[in-house]
Amino acid sequence: MRQRVATAVWRVVLAAGLVCGIGLLPWLTQTDPAYTVLKARSAEREPTPEVLADIRAQLGLDGGPLHVLGRWLGGLVRGDAGQSWISGSEVLPDVLQALGASLLLMSVALLVAALTAGIVCARTLRLGARRRLGGRRRGGTGSAVIASLPEFLVASVLATVVGVQLGWLPALGWYGPQWTVLPALALGLPAGAVLGRLLDDLLPGAFGEPWALAAAARGLTGRRIARQALRRCVPALLPNLGLFVVGLTGGAVAVEQVFDIPGLGRTTLQAALAQDLPVLQAGTLALVLLAALATGATRLAARLLTGPALRDGALSSLHRPAPPAGGLLPLLYGAVLLAVVGVGLTRDPLALDTGARLLAPSLDHPFGTDSLGRDLLARIGHGAFDTLLLASAITAAVLVAGVLLGLVPRVSAPLVDTVNAVPPVLAALLVTAVAGSGAATPALAVGAVAWAPLAAHTSALLRQERATLHITATRGLGAGRWYLLRRELLPAVLPPVLRHALLRLPGVALSLASLGFLGLGAQPPSPEWGLLLAENQPYAERAPWAVLAPAAVLALLGALAVTAAGGLRRPRRRRGAAGPVVPEQPTVEKELVAAR
């Protein structure tokens, strides 16, 4: 009971710190909120001292940041979130309306994500139901490619092709159920690919557990066994599903911008850029409350799905020792990526040719040219080092942070919910306010939020691994906490978490590029891959190769990372190793022999 109270208090402290930090944002960034509000209201009006003084008096800024924050909190207790500094309208109705639109979009996107995850896992489920998983090679290329697709690029292509050219669905606006389909596809496809890849990683372990063999021996149908295998694996993914619920609600800024959706992500973006603090604070508080509800719902669902086995330590491990998976795919993808980069390095990425603007791929320009006539192959080749090195360094750092924080879920779980509730733009502004603008600011901004899914994944896997029979037996034979962590828990949990981190590597590169629009990331004429996508996105309809080329190399990077990570498996225990004698978990083959 004390632990629950302490966790609840920690969660409240973090939420209050976040909301208060947002309330102090203009003063932390050392900007004049009156000037920002004036420019947001009317860009043509001159910022004379008299005009700025009048705005300060209207907003009560003369009392200082603590006065402004205290007045807003006092009104919030009475159910009044204040008035917008820009429009003057009541904040609470506008935020609730935007939240309703985002929740509807998130619900449809989650349905798309569930269908996508089912397609990703279909082959594993079919083979597992037929007891033919023994020789299956782990791939994940398709899911890695889909997960690497930028949401704004998918949204632009769907709006242009399906909405405008074909006219099948509305491409702009928010007036009914049919307007949700295209934006939900843009959000749900990458999210479903990530969830499907994580689920596909766990399913072979579930089909190899003793209950699956016993069910097959008793004549249960393969479809029923597959359903139970899904039920066995889903609890480990529910924390990340809860993160997607909040992320798709408040983080769908690009998609809401493309389709002109009045959602919460777009509302908080506009409020952050205009420093409309009442709207920004209310929107962030709504996301924090949504994160708390999503966390509670996922924990309850995990407890119901797992049953008393989690409490009694009667589970089997989903992460069995296995030899590394071989294959030529990582070598093939790596060779293609190196060839593209190598050829691109021999060309000039800054050479302008206004007479060769947006040329289609040819022998002279294998990837075509951009809007300034620059060779895309050259820009991709020269941008590889900045993109790969920085994205890889951030991924390694957030992996370490995620695993370490995942080991202490009572501390990290509320922190994960709070961090996940921060929209990406707001996270960048907060990091800038604390660390200032500089070369390290984009990496700090992305790293400040990218560790959360890995920490949630680590905690969920550890919770189930601690409840396995062999851990209970090892503990009963005298193994200490550090021995269990070093020799049993971490070897089981680290490989899937590492594969998860590599699956998100292209997304880290794209997150770095998105900060360039705020003046925090790579700036033109840098050939950084994500920035290439953002620069050429307006020309996607006229010159699709301008966005397909950088998108293809990002997808290739994701496929390389995931297939190479397929060789990371829990090593088999060496005979004669020091420590307590641990009962060996029976494999499916041994159980089949025993059953005969």
Side-chain angles (χ1 to χ4, degrees):
M1 185 64 182
R2 291 181 179 178
Q3 293 176 349
R4 293 181 180 178
V5 172
T7 302
V9 171
W10 175 229
R11 189 182 298 274
V12 171
V13 169
L14 289 173
L18 174 61
V19 174
C20 293
I22 292 171
L24 302 175
L25 185 60
W27 292 272
L28 292 175
T29 56
Q30 298 181 354
T31 58
D32 186 358
Y35 178 81
T36 308
V37 170
L38 174 64
K39 289 302 179 182
R41 289 178 178 179
S42 176
E44 295 81 12
R45 193 173 181 184
E46 289 295 328
T48 62
E50 293 77 12
V51 172
L52 295 178
D54 183 58
I55 292 177
R56 293 190 189 98
Q58 292 176 8
L59 304 180
L61 298 176
D62 293 331
L66 295 181
H67 170 74
V68 174
L69 180 60
R71 188 179 60 179
W72 184 82
L73 291 175
L76 188 64
V77 174
R78 301 188 301 270
D80 180 14
Q83 294 180 338
S84 169
W85 288 1
I86 307 302
S87 64
S89 60
E90 293 292 330
V91 169
L92 193 57
D94 292 343
V95 169
L96 291 179
Q97 184 177 2
L99 178 62
S102 292
L103 288 177
L104 175 59
L105 178 59
M106 178 268 295
S107 301
V108 182
L110 282 183
L111 178 60
V112 173
L115 295 175
T116 305
I119 294 173
V120 171
C121 300
R123 182 169 179 265
T124 301
L125 288 170
R126 183 175 67 254
L127 294 177
R130 298 175 181 176
R131 311 299 298 175
R132 296 179 181 175
L133 272 177
R136 187 183 82 96
R137 289 183 180 270
R138 295 176 182 262
T141 302
S143 58
V145 170
I146 298 175
S148 304
L149 294 176
E151 292 177 353
F152 70 85
L153 177 61
V154 177
S156 300
V157 171
L158 290 175
T160 301
V161 177
V162 180
V164 177
Q165 295 181 355
L166 299 178
W168 291 348
L169 289 167
L172 195 67
W174 189 255
Y175 306 103
Q178 64 269 32
W179 274 265
T180 65
V181 177
L182 293 183
L185 285 172
L187 291 172
L189 287 174
V194 173
L195 290 174
R197 186 68 185 88
L198 297 179
L199 181 59
D200 191 66
D201 198 42
L202 295 174
L203 281 172
F207 281 115
E209 290 183 338
W211 66 265
L213 177 67
R218 290 178 63 88
L220 270 68
T221 62
R223 182 174 299 179
R224 188 170 180 182
I225 295 175
R227 285 200 302 267
Q228 293 301 317
L230 277 175
R231 178 176 178 177
R232 173 69 180 90
C233 297
V234 164
L237 302 182
L238 284 175
N240 268 278
L241 181 62
L243 297 184
F244 274 114
V245 167
V246 182
L248 294 177
T249 304
V253 178
V255 174
E256 290 177 356
Q257 290 277 44
V258 170
F259 290 99
D260 194 25
I261 299 173
L264 191 59
R266 185 180 176 188
T267 300
T268 54
L269 169 65
Q270 295 172 348
L273 296 179
Q275 293 189 350
D276 192 353
L277 296 187
V279 175
L280 186 57
Q281 289 171 305
T284 305
L285 183 59
L287 289 175
V288 170
L289 295 177
L290 178 63
L293 291 175
T295 299
T298 54
R299 286 183 179 177
L300 178 60
R303 190 169 300 176
L304 293 176
L305 288 173
T306 308
L310 184 65
R311 179 196 63 208
D312 299 335
L315 294 175
S316 296
S317 177
L318 290 173
H319 314 285
R320 299 177 177 233
L328 297 177
L329 282 179
L331 298 177
L332 176 61
Y333 295 146
V336 173
L337 187 59
L338 284 176
V340 170
V341 172
V343 175
L345 288 175
T346 62
R347 298 164 175 255
D348 186 357
L350 301 178
L352 299 178
D353 186 359
T354 55
R357 298 174 64 251
L358 299 176
L359 291 181
S362 62
L363 291 178
D364 293 333
H365 304 285
F367 285 1
T369 62
D370 64 6
S371 60
L372 297 178
R374 295 174 296 191
D375 185 77
L376 283 173
L377 178 58
R379 294 184 64 74
I380 288 174
H382 284 267
F385 292 101
D386 292 340
T387 303
L388 296 180
L389 291 179
L390 187 55
S392 300
I394 294 175
T395 301
V398 299
L399 172 63
V400 173
V403 171
L404 292 178
L405 288 170
L407 296 176
V408 283
R410 292 189 183 91
V411 176
S412 64
L415 189 58
V416 166
D417 296 339
T418 305
V419 167
N420 191 57
V422 180
V425 174
L426 181 56
L429 294 176
L430 289 173
V431 171
T432 305
V434 175
S437 298
T441 299
L444 291 174
V446 174
V449 296
W451 62 268
L454 302 178
H457 196 195
T458 301
S459 297
L461 294 180
L462 280 174
R463 189 180 305 116
Q464 292 209 11
E465 193 67 21
R466 285 192 180 103
T468 56
L469 286 170
H470 77 279
I471 293 294
T472 303
T474 307
R475 189 182 294 113
L477 292 173
R481 178 181 302 178
W482 290 109
Y483 176 87
L484 289 174
L485 181 64
R486 187 179 71 257
R487 301 296 298 274
E488 298 294 337
L489 296 175
L490 286 181
V493 169
L494 281 180
V497 175
L498 179 56
R499 293 192 291 272
H500 183 185
L502 290 174
L503 182 63
R504 292 181 178 270
L505 178 61
V508 170
L510 288 172
S511 298
L512 290 170
S514 65
L515 298 183
F517 294 104
L518 298 176
L520 305 175
Q523 294 295 305
S526 170
E528 196 267 337
W529 289 355
L531 185 59
L532 294 183
L533 267 175
E535 287 178 339
N536 295 311
Q537 189 267 337
Y539 309 99
E541 183 177 0
R542 178 183 171 187
W545 54 87
V547 292
L548 288 178
V553 291
L554 279 170
L556 184 62
L557 173 62
L560 171 62
V562 171
T563 52
L568 299 172
R569 292 288 174 266
R570 182 178 181 178
R572 296 183 182 276
R573 181 179 295 278
R574 293 177 298 176
R575 295 183 180 275
V581 179
V582 181
E584 183 182 359
Q585 297 188 72
T587 61
V588 175
E589 291 78 8
K590 292 180 180 179
E591 291 173 1
L592 284 171
V593 173
R596 292 174 182 171

